Amino acid sequence: MLKTLEAGLQAWMLPGILTLLAVIASYFLYRLTLAVIRHFSKRRTVPRLFLDAVDKALGLVISLLVLRAMLDGAPEGLLLLSPLKQMATLLLILSLTWAAVRLTSVIGDVIVFLNPVLEGQWKRARKVETQTRFLVRCLNVLVVIVGFGAALMTFEPVQKVGASLLASAGVGGIVLGFAARPVLSNLLSGIQIALTQPFRIDDVLIVEGEWCWVEEVTATYVVLRVWDQRRLIVPLQWFIENPFQNWSRNTADLQGAVFIWVDYTMPIEPLRQEFSRLLDTMKQWDGKVATVQVTDANEQAIQVRFLMSAPNSNQNWDLRCAIREGLVTFIQQHYPSQLPRLRARLENTAPEFEGGAILNRSEPSGGSKP
């Protein structure tokens, strides 16, 4: 046994040294070529983005290709040659899968890089980014599944089992479909959302009563950033099955309203003038909408609506708060008696005395007195 092992190691001496030198030389040459390309190329270019994304994976692929070629050229009968070939093939498939995932990911980055958010074109840029993120993640999942399947097929027992699995693929597919229904439904919902675009990255949404922004879109869920910096993780299927508000679907500008209740004796024209004066001092106002209307009235007060517009939801909120504060201060300082009040009428219901007798004031007319 020892003599056989010693003979095998001696037989591996020359092929092993040559293989090791070939792998080291190929990797060194690859790194040298990569350094030269980086030195003579600009950093923020499309080829450079691809190169920087796959540099490590590509170096591993080249080294494994050289290793597999050297093993194929090694003399037959070497000790453990067949397992080494299989291991090299397995590692090569995994490294190719890694490189493919990196390539598909950088494709999304390149598309987003080539479609920057320019003034007046933010809608198109966000639409492209959202669709790209969805499709790239779905493609990454597909690449990983194919690579994992190819790696398993390098094992002979798995290949034999595969023939029998094909015969029962119909039943297995149905069972797998039911088991993976939530994942598949989210993937299909992601494709539907990417194509129909009910929302995009950075859109302002109202979801379950929460005011939030679309921060990240994955293959199965959406990360929403709430105004108080909380994060909502919502499955994609939820957006297909439930209604939600999108405040920036076509444009980001919004109209906002402030409602104030005042007494019936409050004149409206001073409020209208003060509202216009306040808007002129607000940098959040875009100058498009400024309307004052009496929108409701009840037995105690009237409701006045102050309608205004702003470029986006953040400025709209700040503008409404500032206008509300300014109008309340104006009423307090100039018309404090016109604030809403509760009116009541007092009636004397106590019995009256006349000549020592109690008079019944509630007696119906025409009735006889005792």
Side-chain angles (χ1 to χ4, degrees), residues 200-215:
R200 298 171 294 269
I201 293 177
D202 287 335
D203 269 357
V204 180
L205 306 183
I206 303 295
V207 176
E208 296 290 337
E210 296 284 0
W211 181 31
C212 47
W213 292 264
V214 179
E215 184 176 65

Side-chain angles (χ1 to χ4, degrees), residues 22-42:
V23 171
I24 294 175
S26 61
Y27 185 76
F28 177 78
L29 182 61
Y30 164 74
R31 300 303 300 183
L32 180 61
T33 305
L34 193 64
V36 172
I37 294 175
R38 285 177 172 172
H39 179 73
F40 291 100
S41 63
K42 296 181 180 180

Side-chain angles (χ1 to χ4, degrees), residues 17-243:
I17 294 176
L18 292 177
T19 300
L20 181 61
L21 291 176
V23 171
I24 294 175
S26 61
Y27 185 76
F28 177 78
L29 182 61
Y30 164 74
R31 300 303 300 183
L32 180 61
T33 305
L34 193 64
V36 172
I37 294 175
R38 285 177 172 172
H39 179 73
F40 291 100
S41 63
K42 296 181 180 180
R43 185 174 182 84
R44 300 297 295 177
T45 58
V46 174
R48 182 66 180 273
L49 290 175
F50 278 99
L51 187 63
D52 292 341
V54 299
D55 58 349
K56 296 180 180 179
L58 187 59
L60 184 59
V61 169
I62 292 176
S63 300
L64 290 173
L65 283 174
V66 174
L67 176 61
R68 190 67 172 81
M70 294 299 296
L71 292 178
D72 289 338
E76 296 292 337
L78 289 178
L79 185 65
L80 300 177
L81 180 61
S82 179
L84 287 175
K85 288 183 178 181
Q86 182 178 1
M87 182 62 65
T89 303
L90 177 62
L91 293 177
L92 180 60
I93 293 174
L94 294 178
S95 61
L96 286 172
T97 303
W98 180 24
V101 170
R102 294 295 301 161
L103 278 176
T104 53
S105 299
V106 79
I107 287 174
D109 296 335
V110 168
I111 294 176
V112 174
F113 173 73
L114 295 177
N115 294 272
V117 181
L118 301 177
E119 184 177 358
Q121 300 181 6
W122 60 268
K123 180 182 176 182
R124 176 181 175 273
R126 284 161 51 183
K127 178 180 179 180
V128 170
E129 182 179 2
T130 304
Q131 290 179 334
T132 302
R133 299 302 184 194
F134 271 120
L135 297 178
V136 164
R137 285 184 173 89
C138 292
L139 187 59
N140 281 340
V141 172
L142 182 61
V143 168
V144 170
I145 292 175
V146 172
F148 185 70
L152 290 179
M153 293 302 291
T154 59
F155 298 95
E156 186 176 353
V158 176
Q159 296 177 357
K160 296 179 179 179
V161 174
S164 61
L165 287 178
L166 290 176
S168 58
V171 178
I174 295 175
V175 174
L176 183 61
F178 277 105
R181 186 178 63 85
V183 177
L184 294 177
S185 63
N186 280 316
L187 287 175
L188 294 177
S189 300
I191 296 175
Q192 182 177 351
I193 289 175
L195 296 177
T196 59
Q197 291 287 301
F199 61 83
R200 298 171 294 269
I201 293 177
D202 287 335
D203 269 357
V204 180
L205 306 183
I206 303 295
V207 176
E208 296 290 337
E210 296 284 0
W211 181 31
C212 47
W213 292 264
V214 179
E215 184 176 65
E216 182 183 358
V217 180
T218 68
T220 55
Y221 62 88
V222 178
V223 179
L224 303 176
R225 185 180 77 253
V226 189
W227 63 272
D228 57 0
Q229 301 304 315
R230 288 179 293 130
R231 300 299 191 272
L232 287 180
I233 311 299
V234 183
L236 290 173
Q237 184 66 23
W238 186 92
F239 291 97
I240 302 298
E241 299 176 348
N242 298 277

Side-chain angles (χ1 to χ4, degrees), residues 255-259 291 304-309 316 320-321 323-324:
Q255 294 184 11
V258 171
F259 295 90
T291 305
V304 185
R305 186 187 72 172
F306 302 87
L307 187 63
M308 67 213 79
S309 58
N316 183 272
R320 290 166 57 198
C321 293
I323 291 296
R324 185 182 296 110

